[in-house]
Amino acid sequence: QSGQSCISVQRVLIHEKIYEDLKKVLVGKVSKLKKGNPMNIDTFIGPMIAESEAKRCEEWVNEAVKMGGKVLCGGTREGVFYNATVVENVPKDAKLSKDEVFGPVICIESFKNYKKAIETVDDTVFGLQAGVFTNNINKIFYAYEELEVGGVVVNDVPSIRVDSQPYGGVRDSGL
């Protein structure tokens, strides 16, 4: 899908205690994702729906960098392909942070306070799904109660979906 899905992961908030280690692993894995023909079994990143969409991803990443974000891997376009990209510390008013990129790009940032991180997740006009990774049941319930999203997924990415489960969003992601 190359991120061209309404429930693809776009913003990743990581606790400061594990931020540097997870960032290193994440960048290492993302930079090895193979792009190419999606009919090939080892291809992970396929072409964008149109070259104009790949150019838009490139523009949004470039805007985020000009505003203070930092590309950790990727950030380049080759025709209709946009390389898998990790950008850190994207300002909240950058398109890459506030709009749906629909491309192979994730934004990462660290957090210290869980409640403030939940506020950051909710600081958007969208509200489709959110993923929360924790073994603390109180934090799970807090996310469930506080996040204004259609679904909170626990210990998995928000792009998981089972056709028999309820699915939908709120705010600009819903009706």
Side-chain angles (χ1 to χ4, degrees), residues 25-36:
V25 170
L26 183 63
V27 169
K29 298 274 186 185
V30 170
S31 61
K32 292 178 184 171
L33 294 175
K34 185 175 183 216
K35 75 171 181 292

Side-chain angles (χ1 to χ4, degrees), residues 38 42 55 96-97 173:
D42 57 343
K55 286 179 180 179
L96 200 55
S97 180
S173 293

Side-chain angles (χ1 to χ4, degrees), residues 19-170:
Y19 183 79
E20 291 300 325
D21 290 337
L22 186 55
K23 176 174 78 170
K24 183 178 179 181
V25 170
L26 183 63
V27 169
K29 298 274 186 185
V30 170
S31 61
K32 292 178 184 171
L33 294 175
K34 185 175 183 216
K35 75 171 181 292
N37 183 339
M39 297 300 287
N40 295 336
I41 193 83
D42 57 343
T43 296
F44 193 85
I45 302 293
M48 300 290 293
I49 192 76
E51 188 171 7
S52 60
E53 289 302 298
K55 286 179 180 179
R56 183 188 51 73
C57 284
E58 181 179 48
E59 291 167 3
W60 286 20
V61 169
N62 289 342
E63 176 200 59
V65 168
K66 286 178 185 170
M67 296 173 76
K70 180 180 177 186
V71 173
L72 301 177
C73 68
T76 57
R77 180 182 60 84
E78 297 171 38
V80 76
F81 288 91
Y82 194 76
N83 291 310
T85 301
V86 178
V87 186
E88 76 176 335
N89 300 324
V90 175
K92 72 177 191 172
D93 55 338
K95 290 176 187 164
L96 200 55
S97 180
K98 67 180 182 144
D99 295 325
E100 292 178 322
V101 68
F102 278 91
V105 181
I106 62 168
C107 306
I108 64 171
E109 64 181 278
S110 67
F111 72 88
K112 179 184 267 188
N113 180 287
Y114 183 78
K115 289 182 178 182
K116 290 197 182 301
I118 294 297
E119 290 174 10
T120 298
V121 170
D122 244 1
D123 189 18
T124 176
V125 297
F126 300 106
L128 193 49
Q129 299 226 109
V132 176
F133 287 79
T134 183
N135 60 1
N136 182 320
I137 192 72
N138 293 321
K139 288 183 177 180
I140 293 168
F141 281 121
Y142 183 83
Y144 174 78
E145 291 294 329
E146 296 299 320
L147 287 171
E148 190 179 352
V149 295
V152 176
V153 179
V154 178
N155 293 330
D156 208 335
V157 293
S159 54
I160 189 170
R161 182 171 175 224
V162 178
D163 286 335
S164 62
Q165 77 184 31
Y167 180 78
V170 296

